[in-house]
Amino acid sequence: MFYLDFSGAFARWGVFMHGGVFTIILAIIATLLGSLIGVVGAAARMSAFAPARLAAFGYVEIIRNTPFLIQIYVIYFGLPAVGFRLEPWPAAIIALSLYAGAYITEIVRAGVGSVAKGQVEAARTLGLSPYLTFRLVILRPALAAVYPALTSQFILIMLASSIVSTISIPELTGVANDVQGLTFRSFEAFLLVAAIYLVLTAAFKGAFAAIDRVAFAFRHVGR
Amino acid sequence: MFQTFSFYHVGFLAQAATWTLLLSMIALVSGGLFGAIVALARVSPFAPLRWITSAYIYVVQGTPLLVLLFLAYFGVALAGYDVPALVAAAFAFTIYAAAFLAEIWRGCIEAIGTGQWEGAKALGLSWSRTMRLVIVPQAMRLAVPPTVGFFVQLVKNTALASVIGFVELTRAGQIVANSTFQPLSVYLTVGAMYFVICSILSFVSRQLDARITVNAASTAAH
C-alpha cells in the first residue's frame, strides 16, 4: 500500500536544521573563496604573461568539463596516495571553492570586460582621482554587471554542495541520508530535504533581489 | 590479492563510458521531448499552463539533482516496484533535463522579434500556426548551440547516477579504485575521459554559437 509517513522525519527536525545551516555555511565559504580565486583567475586570464593565461585557461576548462563528483573523489580519495590526506570538511571546502572559482573566473572576466574604456577616459577628463575613478566608474558598474551572475552562481553552488554528502559531510543531503537509515522512510526524508532546499533557494533569491534594488539603484533608473 | 591498475581496467572504464553516453542520450531525447512541451506551455496564451510549468521549472531548478535522483529511486520503490537503477536514473534525468531545456528554449522563442509575431497576426495566423510555421523554425536555429552546451552538463551530471548504483563511468571508477587501491590514478583517468567527451562538446557548442553570432551580425549589417 502506498502511503507517506513523515512522523520519523519531523521528529528529527533539529537534525535537518543543522544540515541546513551547514549547507548555507558551505555555500557562503565556497562563494567567498571562489570569488578570491575568480579575481586572481580573471586577472591571470587577461594578463600579458602567456604562462599565466594558459594556466588559468587550463584550470577553468578542467573544472568545467569534468563532474564535480570526480573532482571531490580526486581530492578526498586520490590525494592521500601522494601523501596528502585531508579530513572531510577541508576536502569539501577546497573542492567546492575550486569548483566555484572556475565559474566565477569567467563571470569576473565578463564583468571587467563590460566596463567601456571610454568611461575611464571620460572620468580622467573630468578630473576624478584614480581612486574615485576606480570606485565609481570601474568597480560599481563592474559589480552591478556581475551581480546577477554571481548571485545565481551562489544558488548553484548551494545546490552542488549536496554532492559533498558523498564524503560523509552532514549537510542537508547527508542528513537526509542519515535520517532515512534511522526511520526507513527514504522517500519522506528526501522529500522534506527537497522542500528545505526550495525554501533556501527562494529565500536567497528574494534577498539578492532586494539587495540589488538598494545597492545598484542606478541600474533601474528610467525603467 | 589486489591487482594493479592496468590497461585491462582502462578498457573496463571505456566500456562504462558508453553507459554514461547512453544515459546522457536518454536524458537528452526524453527530456527534450518533455521539455519542448513545457517550453510551449510556458509561452502559451493560456495563463494556468504558464503557472504550472513555471512552478515545475522553479521546483526542479531549486532542488539539487542528487536529491531528485534519490526521490526517483526511493519514490518508485515506495510505490511497490523494484526499480533498476537505470530506470530511476533515466526518470530523474528526464525531469531534470526537461526543466532546463524548457527554460533554454523559452529564451530562444522569446528572442524571435515581435515583428515576426505581428506579421503572423496580420496574416491572420492562429497562435499554434504562428508557433509552428513562423517562430519555432527560427527559434530552433538559435537553440542548437545552448542545447549542445547543456548536453555537456548532462554528461557531467550523469556521474551522480553512480550514487544510486547505476554502473556508468564514475561507478566503474569506484569499482576499479576499490579493487586496485590506486584511487588517484583511477579517478584521474576517469576525469580525463569525462574531460575529453565534454571538451569536444563544449568546443562544438562554441563553434556553433560563433557561427550564429556572425550570421546575425552580417544580417544586421545588410
Side-chain angles (χ1 to χ4, degrees):
Chain A
M1 183 58 204
F2 184 93
Y3 68 100
L4 290 174
D5 175 13
F6 282 100
S7 56
F10 283 151
R12 289 167 178 80
W13 65 273
V15 178
F16 285 100
M17 294 286 278
H18 270 111
V21 170
F22 279 157
T23 288
I24 296 170
I25 290 175
L26 260 175
I28 291 175
I29 293 178
T31 306
L32 289 179
L33 290 179
S35 299
L36 222 66
I37 298 172
V39 170
V40 175
R45 275 214 68 172
M46 292 182 294
S47 87
F49 186 54
R53 268 203 319 270
L54 202 69
F57 176 75
Y59 158 65
V60 169
E61 288 299 298
I62 287 172
I63 297 288
R64 292 207 304 184
N65 286 316
T66 54
F68 177 58
L69 189 61
I70 293 295
Q71 292 162 20
I72 199 159
Y73 281 175
V74 167
I75 288 173
Y76 186 65
F77 296 115
L79 288 185
V82 286
F84 206 70
R85 190 172 299 277
L86 288 164
E87 293 297 309
W89 271 103
I93 288 171
I94 290 171
L96 209 53
S97 302
L98 283 175
Y99 170 79
Y103 289 89
I104 297 176
T105 294
E106 290 304 283
I107 294 172
V108 172
R109 199 164 69 106
V112 173
S114 73
V115 178
K117 221 172 138 194
Q119 297 277 319
V120 178
E121 287 162 4
R124 231 171 256 165
T125 314
L126 286 170
L128 256 67
S129 69
Y131 168 71
L132 274 182
T133 307
F134 176 74
R135 198 172 66 118
L136 299 175
V137 183
I138 299 175
L139 188 63
R140 212 146 79 103
L143 276 180
V146 300
Y147 184 83
L150 208 57
T151 50
S152 40
Q153 193 60 48
F154 175 85
I155 306 277
L156 291 175
I157 292 164
M158 190 169 80
L159 297 179
S161 74
S162 65
I163 296 172
V164 303
S165 64
T166 52
I167 59 166
S168 65
I169 296 283
E171 43 64 74
L172 260 179
T173 306
V175 158
N177 260 322
D178 295 343
V179 170
Q180 65 143 338
L182 293 169
T183 61
F184 301 108
R185 303 301 306 189
S186 312
F187 189 64
E188 287 85 343
F190 286 107
L191 209 55
L192 186 61
V193 148
I196 299 174
Y197 274 110
L198 267 181
V199 170
L200 288 180
T201 313
F204 276 108
K205 272 187 186 164
F208 289 142
I211 292 171
D212 182 65
R213 275 193 297 276
V214 175
F216 304 114
F218 64 90
R219 202 188 330 166
H220 305 287
V221 171
R223 281 195 194 163
Chain B
M1 278 313 287
F2 59 87
Q3 317 148 297
T4 43
F5 185 46
S6 67
F7 195 72
Y8 163 78
H9 293 111
V10 176
F12 174 64
L13 292 176
Q15 234 174 11
T18 60
W19 283 102
T20 287
L21 285 175
L22 187 74
L23 182 59
S24 310
M25 283 306 297
I26 293 173
L28 185 70
V29 172
S30 60
L33 288 174
F34 187 33
I37 298 167
V38 175
L40 287 176
R42 189 76 183 75
V43 296
S44 84
F46 188 52
L49 268 183
R50 288 203 303 273
W51 298 332
I52 293 168
T53 45
S54 62
Y56 162 69
I57 292 167
Y58 193 88
V59 167
V60 173
Q61 293 195 342
T63 314
L65 176 58
L66 188 59
V67 174
L68 288 180
L69 268 163
F70 282 133
L71 281 176
Y73 189 61
F74 296 118
V76 187
L78 189 69
Y81 301 103
D82 191 19
V83 257
L86 174 63
V87 176
F91 183 67
F93 276 103
T94 302
I95 298 287
Y96 164 81
F100 280 83
L101 287 173
E103 217 33 17
I104 291 169
W105 292 343
R106 177 175 73 106
C108 298
I109 290 170
E110 286 176 349
I112 305 302
T114 47
Q116 298 287 323
W117 281 99
E118 288 159 4
K121 202 171 193 181
L123 288 171
L125 293 182
S126 65
W127 183 87
S128 60
R129 286 204 153 188
T130 306
M131 264 301 168
R132 191 160 53 88
L133 301 173
V134 182
I135 306 296
V136 169
Q138 298 183 75
M140 272 168 86
R141 208 174 60 94
L142 290 181
V144 175
T147 305
V148 177
F150 179 71
F151 192 58
V152 176
Q153 304 296 321
L154 272 180
V155 173
K156 283 194 299 173
N157 283 332
T158 54
L160 293 180
S162 64
V163 178
I164 58 168
F166 178 59
V167 185
E168 37 63 72
L169 183 49
T170 300
R171 184 82 193 95
Q174 286 178 339
I175 293 167
V176 174
N178 289 342
S179 67
T180 60
F181 292 103
Q182 286 171 283
L184 187 63
S185 341
V186 174
Y187 288 130
L188 286 179
T189 308
V190 169
M193 286 179 168
Y194 278 108
F195 183 75
V196 169
I197 301 169
C198 293
S199 311
I200 293 171
L201 289 169
S202 297
F203 178 76
V204 170
S205 169
R206 274 198 291 262
Q207 290 294 311
L208 291 168
D209 201 32
R211 193 181 297 172
I212 282 187
T213 314
V214 168
N215 275 346
S218 63
T219 321
H222 283 297

